[in-house]
Amino acid sequence: MASLLRAAVTWGLFPWRGYCSRGTQGKLSTDFVETLKAVVGSPHVSTAASVLEQHGHDESMHRCQPPDVVVWPQNVEQVSQLAALCYSQNVPIIPFGTGTGLEGGVCAVQGGVCINLTHMDRILELNPEDFSVVVEPGVTRKALNTYVRDSGLWFPVDPGADASLCGMAATGASGTNTVRYGTMRDNVLNLEVVLPGGRLLHTAGQSRHFRKSAAGYNLTGLFVGSEGTLGLITAATLRLHPVPEATVAATCAFPSVQAAVDSTIHILQAAVPVARIEFLDDVTMDACNKYSNLNCSVAPTLFLEFHGSEQALAEQLQRTEEIALYNGASHFSWAKEAEQRSQLWAARHNAWYAILALRPGCKGYATDVCVPISRLPEILVQTKEDLKASGITGAIVGHVGDGNFHCLLLVDPEDADEIHRVKVFAHQLGRRALALRGTCTGEHGIGLGKRQLLQEEVGTVGMETMWQLKATLDPRGLMNPGKML
C-alpha cells in the first residue's frame, strides 16, 4: 500500500506498472481499494452495488454504467492524492457532483474510480465589495444564495436543478436568467483544478478574483465546459450580482408558436432589459397545470421576469405588454408578490417532471439546441410540426431570449423502436440547428450522445485542436473517458 502511494506521487518518473489488475469482472484489485481507503478513510470508500449504480447514471436516458468504486474526498489534498494514485495505475477517473446532468456525463464507460466531491461543501471566501465568492465543489446553487442573502448579493445562473456550482462550471451550464446575467462562462472568474497526475492549477492565478485580464491564455475558459475530461474542479471563484430592488413576473398566452417567438424578438429589439423570457408550448402548459396546480391557458405561453427599480419596472411592463398584445397575446397577468412568483417559476423548473408524468414509467430525453435568435421562429415552428408528425410524445420549452430551447421527449425504455425514433429525431434537430448556424447544445453539454454532432459543428481542425489539448493535459486518456471527444 505504501509503495502504491509513493508510485502515485512520482508516477511521471517511473514506468507504468498497471497495478489495477481489473480481471474478468472489471474489478479493481483489493490492494488498490485499500490504498484508496488509506487516502480518504474507510467510511469514505464504497463498492456496494447500490452505491455504484447510483453513481453510474444521471437524469438522462443513457443506460447506467457504474464505476468500480466510489470515493468521497474531504479536501483538495485528498483529491490530488487520488488523482495521482489513479493516474499512476492507469485507472479511469470520473468526477461526480449532484448527478443532475442530462447527457450521461457521469457514466463510467470504462469503469474506474468515481470521485464524489459533495463532501467538500464549504464556502471558502466571500468578498462582497468585489462581488465575488469562492466555493468548493459540493456547494449547490441554492445553498450559495442562502449564504449570501444578507449581503444583498446573489448568484443568478439557474439551470433549474439544485446543481453543484462546480458541476455547473464543468458543463458550461446556464438557464432561465441567461438573457440578463449570462452563462457560467460569464460568471466564473477563477478555478482551482486538480490535473491528471495530481498537480494543482489555479486557472487565473492563486487567490485572484479580478473582473478582467489580458494576461496569457484563458485557462479558466478552457476548463468551463470541459465536462471533467481535463481535470477535477475543486474550487470556483464566482461573480455575484446585486439583488434587484424589485422583481415582477408575468405570463401571457399566444395564438401560435410563431406569435410567441415574434414577441420575444420584438421585446429584445426594443431593448427591454428582461431578466427571464421562457417559452412553453401547449403540451407543456397542460402538463404544468396538472402537475403544479396552475390555471393557465393551454396555449403557447411566455413566462417573463423583470428586475430593477419600481419606476424602471413600470416602464418595462408597459412596453412588454404593448408588444405582446400587438402579437395577439391574451390572458396577460402579472405576479408582483414573492409567493406568486415562486409558484410560477417552480412550475417552470418542474416542467421536466410534469412532462414525465404524462407517461408514467417512461424515461425522458431532452434536446438542447441553440440558434441565432433571428432563426428561432423558423426552427421552433418546424420542430413543433416534426414532433407532431413523428408520433413521439413530447413538448417544447425554451430559454428563447438567447435562442436556446429543449424538446422534452418521452420514451419507453423497453421499446427499442421508440428509442431509435427519439434518437433519430434528436440528431435531425441537432443537424437542423447546425444548418441554421447554431449549436447542438446550448447548456447540457456533449456527454455521450452528441460527439458526432460536435465533430460536424467545429470541423476537422477544431476536433484536432481539442484532441491535442486533451493529449497534453491527459496523455493517458483517463479523465472521464468516452465523453465529449
Side-chain angles (χ1 to χ4, degrees), residues 257 282-283 382-392 394 425:
V257 172
D282 54 337
V283 177
Q382 185 61 55
T383 300
K384 187 69 173 174
E385 293 175 359
D386 290 349
L387 195 54
K388 290 180 180 178
S390 71
I392 299 169
F425 178 93

Side-chain angles (χ1 to χ4, degrees), residues 222-247:
L222 175 63
F223 283 88
V224 175
S226 60
E227 301 185 31
T229 62
L230 301 178
L232 298 112
I233 299 174
T234 51
T237 304
L238 305 174
R239 177 182 177 185
L240 298 176
H241 297 258
V243 173
E245 175 187 324
T247 302

Side-chain angles (χ1 to χ4, degrees), residues 179 250 252 254 259-278 302-306 315-327 329 332 334 373 400-401:
V179 66
C252 47
F254 291 86
V261 181
D262 284 346
S263 288
T264 299
I265 294 175
H266 294 160
I267 289 168
L268 296 175
Q269 288 175 336
V272 178
V274 62
R276 308 190 203 197
I277 183 163
E278 297 287 296
L302 291 181
F303 282 21
L304 306 100
E305 189 167 275
F306 305 88
E315 296 174 358
Q316 294 173 31
L317 297 177
Q318 179 182 354
R319 185 69 180 120
T320 300
E321 187 169 5
E322 290 172 356
I323 292 171
L325 293 175
Y326 173 80
N327 285 287
F332 208 97
W334 305 104
I373 294 174
V400 288

Side-chain angles (χ1 to χ4, degrees), residues 176 250-254 256-257 260-261 264 277-289 292 294 296-304 344-352 354-355 380 384 395-400 405-406 408:
T176 58
T251 62
C252 47
F254 291 86
S256 66
V257 172
V261 181
T264 299
I277 183 163
E278 297 287 296
F279 171 80
L280 296 83
D281 73 352
D282 54 337
V283 177
T284 307
M285 290 308 302
D286 185 42
C288 287
N289 281 342
S292 298
L294 298 182
C296 296
S297 298
V298 180
T301 299
L302 291 181
F303 282 21
L304 306 100
L344 185 68
W345 290 112
R348 167 61 185 90
H349 288 323
N350 288 330
W352 170 261
I355 293 165
L380 264 180
K384 187 69 173 174
I396 298 176
V397 301
H399 317 305
V400 288
F405 73 94
H406 312 294
L408 308 182

Side-chain angles (χ1 to χ4, degrees), residues 59 287 350-365 409-411:
E59 294 193 11
N350 288 330
W352 170 261
Y353 304 105
I355 293 165
L356 285 175
L358 295 175
R359 284 183 68 187
C362 286
K363 298 281 286 183
Y365 180 81
L409 310 173
L410 300 183
V411 57

Side-chain angles (χ1 to χ4, degrees), residues 14-333:
F14 297 94
W16 165 54
R17 296 181 299 160
Y19 194 87
C20 60
S21 304
R22 297 182 59 83
T24 58
Q25 295 182 344
K27 301 295 184 182
L28 300 175
S29 71
T30 301
D31 280 356
F32 184 85
V33 174
E34 290 300 315
T35 308
L36 295 176
K37 293 178 180 179
V39 174
V40 299
S42 294
H44 305 305
V45 177
S46 178
T47 56
S50 60
V51 174
L52 300 182
E53 181 178 357
Q54 176 190 350
H55 288 77
H57 65 90
D58 53 18
E59 294 193 11
S60 71
M61 63 179 285
H62 295 288
R63 68 182 179 86
C64 178
Q65 299 183 75
D68 297 315
V69 61
V70 179
V71 296
W72 287 264
Q74 310 300 301
N75 53 58
V76 65
E77 290 78 14
Q78 291 182 357
V79 176
S80 180
Q81 291 181 56
L82 290 170
L85 174 63
C86 291
Y87 221 71
S88 71
Q89 305 304 314
N90 212 45
V91 177
I93 302 166
I94 305 93
F96 191 96
T98 55
T100 54
L102 293 169
E103 292 296 343
V106 299
C107 296
V109 297
Q110 297 179 18
V113 175
C114 175
I115 300 182
N116 185 318
L117 297 161
T118 56
H119 286 192
M120 297 172 59
D121 59 358
R122 295 177 300 162
I123 295 174
L124 300 174
E125 184 179 341
L126 175 61
N127 302 292
E129 298 85 0
D130 295 328
F131 300 91
S132 71
V133 66
V134 184
V135 300
E136 288 189 323
V139 179
T140 65
R141 173 181 62 86
K142 290 182 179 179
L144 174 60
N145 280 326
T146 298
Y147 183 89
V148 302
R149 181 182 300 154
D150 292 340
S151 69
L153 301 172
W154 73 308
F155 186 73
V157 181
D158 180 4
D162 189 22
S164 62
L165 291 159
C166 289
M168 289 166 59
T171 57
S174 54
T176 58
N177 287 309
T178 299
V179 66
R180 176 72 175 269
Y181 299 99
T183 70
M184 287 299 289
R185 292 189 185 276
D186 304 302
N187 288 279
V188 176
L189 303 176
N190 198 352
L191 293 171
E192 178 186 80
V193 181
V194 172
L195 298 174
R199 292 181 301 157
L200 191 62
L201 168 69
H202 296 91
T203 58
Q206 189 167 0
S207 302
R208 303 191 187 282
H209 53 271
F210 41 72
R211 295 292 287 272
K212 68 177 186 178
S213 171
Y217 295 121
N218 184 355
L219 297 179
T220 303
L222 175 63
F223 283 88
V224 175
S226 60
E227 301 185 31
T229 62
L230 301 178
L232 298 112
I233 299 174
T234 51
T237 304
L238 305 174
R239 177 182 177 185
L240 298 176
H241 297 258
V243 173
E245 175 187 324
T247 302
V248 176
T251 62
C252 47
F254 291 86
S256 66
V257 172
Q258 181 80 49
V261 181
D262 284 346
S263 288
T264 299
I265 294 175
H266 294 160
I267 289 168
L268 296 175
Q269 288 175 336
V272 178
V274 62
R276 308 190 203 197
I277 183 163
E278 297 287 296
F279 171 80
L280 296 83
D281 73 352
D282 54 337
V283 177
T284 307
M285 290 308 302
D286 185 42
C288 287
N289 281 342
K290 295 172 181 176
Y291 188 86
S292 298
N293 297 316
L294 298 182
N295 188 29
C296 296
S297 298
V298 180
T301 299
L302 291 181
F303 282 21
L304 306 100
E305 189 167 275
F306 305 88
H307 298 168
S309 66
E310 295 283 359
Q311 181 179 354
L313 288 187
E315 296 174 358
Q316 294 173 31
L317 297 177
Q318 179 182 354
R319 185 69 180 120
T320 300
E321 187 169 5
E322 290 172 356
I323 292 171
L325 293 175
Y326 173 80
N327 285 287
S330 61
H331 300 89
F332 208 97
S333 63

